[in-house]
Amino acid sequence: MVIAEEVDRATLAIAILDDHPAWREFQAQSLKRAGFGRIETMPANPSLFVRRFGEKSREFASLVFGLRVDSEVSWENLRVLRGCYSGPIIVASPQREVLSVADKIREIGAEDVLVLDETDPEAIELKIETVLMTHRIGKVLEENDLRTQRLFVNILTVMVKILESKDPYTKLHSHQVVKWSRMIGRRRGLSDEALTRLGLAAVFHDFGKVGVPEDILNKPSGLSNDEFALMKQHPAIAKNILGSLDQLADILPAIHHHHERWAGGGYPEGLKGEQIPLWARIIGLADAYDTMSSRRTYKEPFPKERIIDELIKASGKQFDPELVAILLELIEEQR
Ligand SMILES: [Fe+2]
């Protein structure tokens, strides 16, 4: 089942409405780097937006609105903006208090809320990606049985939130695993429909961690054998929970087998080579790559040269050599 059409970022236009020029510029630069095709910036003023774009406001895939939580005028502007634009609106603010009024923001009809942080320029890109994906899914589903399908989207959203609340790294990590899985998958020749499903599998690849005790999840290193045995349950836990949703049946094998090893000896079933589903091989590789590339409490990000060495060493052992070759190409191109 196709639940969302693939869209090329370069064709998307985003408007950033924020009264602070520095934050406008910060977001615009982040989105340009992330490959969005057109970014318009202006003060957080809905009348100005309508005057400038009028009918053409429909060309925007999403708006980002800079809310000042303590300003009644700013709240009113958000309401007016909601009334004159029908696509998804993301509310962004450097004030952390924005999280405590997230329910009120959603009641007004904005899709999501983001705390701006100058040390985390990718956050805006990831938020837009998620909102657009949910919105696209919602749009496709509206043509079907509206109530059932809305329920399905809500269930997915709830599940993503449960997962993200479990451990602080999961949120950014699963976004990165989605991004790299899709890049590897695209180069490997997967169709747009398959890439959408692969992306969904990548979002949920570690969902089973909801069933692993938090003290084990957050332990920096040195798990005992018993603790590691519990940790290794997470693919099976995910299969068990997500298996309750028929709509996810096609992505379960990718989630269940993302810790198998190309040469065998992985878990949960010790599959080898092409016995391991392709999507699971892709996600396993993207997962390892992002873990090496990012900071954890117990380690700094590895330098690129070391990552490349590790990938070459693990090619044909832990990972499918064809996929490693693709990833190395992609890393090279990003430099
Ligand atoms: Fe995992």
Side-chain angles (χ1 to χ4, degrees):
M1 176 180 84
V2 186
I3 63 170
E5 290 298 318
E6 190 56 25
V7 176
D8 181 4
R9 276 185 183 183
T11 64
L12 296 181
I14 308 285
I16 297 163
L17 291 80
D18 198 304
D19 288 331
H20 297 274
W23 282 118
R24 274 203 308 260
E25 198 44 32
F26 170 76
Q27 297 178 73
Q29 290 306 328
S30 307
L31 294 178
K32 276 181 201 154
R33 270 198 305 276
F36 286 91
R38 179 178 146 218
I39 313 295
E40 297 283 350
T41 60
M42 74 191 71
N45 180 334
S47 337
L48 187 65
F49 176 74
V50 172
R51 274 208 305 279
R52 192 177 294 177
F53 297 108
E55 280 291 293
K56 290 194 162 173
S57 69
R58 270 187 257 151
E59 291 170 7
F60 292 105
S62 175
L63 306 185
V64 183
F65 180 82
L67 178 74
R68 278 174 295 148
V69 176
D70 40 14
S71 156
E72 230 355 272
V73 176
S74 185
W75 281 99
E76 190 48 36
N77 280 340
L78 174 60
R79 286 188 196 95
V80 174
L81 186 67
R82 176 68 294 172
C84 53
Y85 170 74
S86 61
I89 299 177
I90 295 166
V91 168
S93 165
Q95 301 172 288
R96 288 206 68 81
E97 302 90 290
V98 75
L99 293 177
S100 59
V101 290
D103 286 345
K104 186 173 165 192
I105 289 170
R106 290 204 181 85
E107 260 168 47
I108 293 174
E111 256 72 8
D112 212 337
V113 177
L114 171 72
V115 179
L116 293 171
D117 174 355
E118 58 205 343
T119 66
D120 186 7
E122 287 196 325
I124 179 72
E125 160 202 355
L126 298 174
K127 184 63 80 179
I128 289 183
E129 177 100 325
T130 315
V131 164
L132 291 181
M133 184 157 95
T134 315
H135 196 73
R136 285 201 296 274
I137 291 170
K139 259 171 97 175
V140 172
L141 297 182
E142 272 170 28
E143 292 154 16
N144 303 321
D145 178 351
L146 198 65
R147 269 175 32 199
T148 318
Q149 302 293 7
R150 278 259 163 83
L151 179 65
F152 176 60
V153 172
N154 291 346
I155 291 171
L156 287 188
T157 310
V158 168
M159 294 196 319
V160 170
K161 284 185 180 161
I162 293 172
L163 178 62
E164 290 176 350
S165 67
K166 185 78 178 182
D167 119 42
Y169 291 116
T170 303
K171 191 168 183 173
L172 188 59
H173 174 62
S174 45
H175 278 112
Q176 290 297 106
V177 177
V178 172
K179 176 170 139 187
W180 284 95
S181 296
R182 289 169 44 95
M183 281 164 54
I184 297 167
R186 176 169 286 135
R187 184 83 39 117
R188 176 66 172 62
L190 297 189
S191 68
D192 285 351
E193 183 182 341
L195 287 174
T196 300
R197 301 304 289 174
L198 171 66
L200 199 59
V203 169
F204 288 114
H205 75 281
D206 270 345
F207 186 75
K209 287 187 175 172
V210 298
V212 177
E214 253 157 80
D215 52 330
I216 298 180
L217 278 187
N218 297 322
K219 207 169 174 181
S221 59
L223 292 183
S224 71
N225 285 346
D226 285 351
E227 287 170 334
F228 192 52
L230 273 175
M231 184 66 129
K232 279 164 58 173
Q233 293 289 316
H234 76 271
I237 297 170
K239 185 181 172 192
N240 189 22
I241 300 176
L242 301 176
S244 323
L245 289 170
D246 296 344
Q247 294 92 332
L248 300 183
D250 63 322
I251 64 168
L252 283 189
I255 295 169
H256 193 215
H257 294 290
H258 76 274
H259 283 290
E260 303 284 1
R261 296 170 57 91
W262 180 257
Y267 62 91
E269 290 181 2
L271 302 183
K272 269 189 192 173
E274 293 187 351
Q275 291 176 327
I276 309 165
L278 174 63
W279 296 359
R281 277 151 36 207
I282 294 175
I283 292 172
L285 177 60
D287 184 18
Y289 173 66
D290 182 59
T291 304
M292 288 194 276
S293 314
S294 45
R295 179 172 286 108
R296 292 288 187 269
T297 44
Y298 54 92
K299 73 158 196 58
E300 288 298 304
F302 289 1
K304 275 281 172 307
E305 292 310 328
R306 173 157 178 214
I307 295 178
I308 292 170
D309 276 359
E310 299 280 346
L311 288 171
I312 292 171
K313 267 192 267 173
S315 177
K317 297 190 182 101
Q318 186 175 352
F319 307 121
D320 176 347
E322 186 191 349
L323 298 179
V324 171
I326 290 175
L327 177 57
L328 291 172
E329 248 174 52
L330 291 167
I331 295 172
E332 205 46 54
E333 288 164 19
Q334 294 242 321
R335 289 220 248 198

